[in-house]
Amino acid sequence: IPCHVFRDAKDASVYVAQQIAHTIRERAEAGRPCVLGLATGSTPTTIYDELVRMHREEGLSFAGVVTFNLDEYFPMQPEELQSYVRFMNEHLFDHIDIDRANVNIPDGTLAPEDVLAHCLEYEEKIAGLGGIDIQVLGIGRTGHIGFNEPGSSRESRTRMITLDKVTRNDAASDFFGEEYVPRRAITMGVGTILESRQVYLLAFGEGKSRVVARTVEGDVSNSVPATFLQLHKNAKAIFDEAAAAQLT
Ligand code: F6R
């Protein structure tokens, strides 16, 4: 995976936001929708800040943009503090001119028996729009992308998964205790992610340096699902110096 190491997370995020803005404008000129795959968590927030700034100050319009988020906890109500619907509204959608009908986030409110059909629909909707133009990814300490935890296959599609213990531990403070972190989530699959035309994998901070080195330099294996990005023709890894510290 080609790696770009930036001085800090801010510079890195501005770079990725500029790439996204470029594609949005290109698609708008061609009269085609721009399809973005989005992540939550601490890593992409500065990208969203920068996109909001470009909307306010530079007239960047999201009118022709369709978004698909990677994942959502299950079960999860949209108004709950930890919901990814709420996260995306607060960090991005409330501040831009996107058509809410064009926002897609896996639905954490469904009855378990309805999740499979919802996942198939999610996949069909992405495919019906011609696929994802740009996918933004963070990485978990388990090597997950989306919530594709160790054991997820290269071919996996949007589905319900069980969260890894490490991931639930990392989310414990958001939920005021590990016992309150949902055990499951709905996530796009590795196969879904690999079909995106362009992927940006972002990691910031020394806490990610170990999994980053394993992802970039280790063998491709479902024990670290992010290594599947080595198989993507157009994936770029975007790091700050701390996250890149263990690369040889
Ligand atoms: C979030 C997601 C996760 C996070 C990862 C890193 O939608 O898909 O894979 O990107 O857990 O989280 P942060 O950025 O909070 O370190």
Side-chain angles (χ1 to χ4, degrees):
I1 312 171
C3 300
H4 297 227
V5 181
F6 291 81
R7 201 180 42 166
D8 56 29
K10 168 84 199 234
D11 284 5
S13 302
V14 168
Y15 169 79
V16 175
Q18 282 168 351
Q19 305 307 305
I20 293 171
H22 177 77
T23 302
I24 291 174
R25 291 191 171 110
E26 210 175 57
R27 292 283 183 278
E29 273 166 35
R32 292 218 301 108
C34 178
V35 184
L36 299 179
L38 301 178
T40 60
S42 60
T43 305
T45 54
T46 308
I47 297 179
Y48 300 147
D49 292 346
E50 180 63 11
L51 289 173
V52 168
R53 190 199 63 75
M54 286 193 255
H55 170 67
R56 287 188 179 145
E57 296 176 11
E58 295 168 13
L60 178 66
S61 174
F62 292 77
V65 173
V66 183
T67 63
F68 289 89
N69 265 76
L70 283 163
D71 43 21
E72 176 61 287
Y73 291 109
F74 188 90
M76 180 57 70
Q77 297 300 318
E79 62 281 0
E80 284 183 78
L81 263 182
Q82 305 85 359
S83 98
Y84 287 170
V85 172
R86 183 167 172 152
F87 178 98
M88 290 308 302
N89 287 340
E90 288 178 355
H91 286 277
L92 186 61
F93 300 143
D94 285 349
H95 314 289
I96 59 174
D97 62 339
I98 195 162
D99 180 347
R100 295 289 172 145
N102 289 339
V103 167
N104 301 279
I105 301 179
D107 188 350
T109 72
L110 296 172
E113 61 270 26
D114 294 333
V115 169
L116 182 61
H118 173 63
C119 292
L120 292 173
E121 218 175 277
Y122 209 73
E123 291 277 340
E124 279 167 12
K125 208 162 173 186
I126 294 171
L129 284 156
I132 291 171
D133 290 309
I134 299 183
Q135 176 67 58
V136 175
L137 295 175
I139 182 169
R141 283 195 302 140
T142 60
H144 72 212
I145 47 176
F147 277 140
N148 293 284
E149 298 286 17
S152 298
S153 77
R154 146 89 187 75
E155 287 77 28
S156 55
R157 311 302 307 191
T158 304
R159 69 201 186 288
M160 180 102 91
I161 56 85
T162 300
L163 292 167
D164 194 279
K165 175 126 182 69
V166 173
T167 300
R168 293 185 62 236
N169 184 262
D170 284 344
S173 63
D174 290 342
F175 285 86
F176 311 106
E178 194 176 317
E179 63 271 38
Y180 304 114
V181 180
R183 290 178 186 279
R184 293 185 291 180
I186 300 173
T187 183
M188 277 186 205
V190 174
T192 323
I193 291 168
L194 289 179
E195 283 170 11
S196 309
R197 273 184 276 284
Q198 170 82 60
V199 175
Y200 291 103
L201 172 71
L202 288 91
F204 303 134
E206 75 151 315
K208 297 285 172 74
S209 61
R210 209 184 137 91
V211 75
V212 154
R214 175 70 182 83
T215 295
V216 174
E217 295 171 354
D219 294 338
V220 176
S221 156
N222 66 6
S223 62
V224 181
T227 58
F228 288 122
L229 296 172
Q230 293 179 27
L231 308 174
H232 194 285
K233 287 194 296 288
N234 227 350
K236 285 199 181 88
I238 308 287
F239 303 135
D240 64 1
E241 283 173 5
Q246 292 193 43
L247 293 173
T248 53

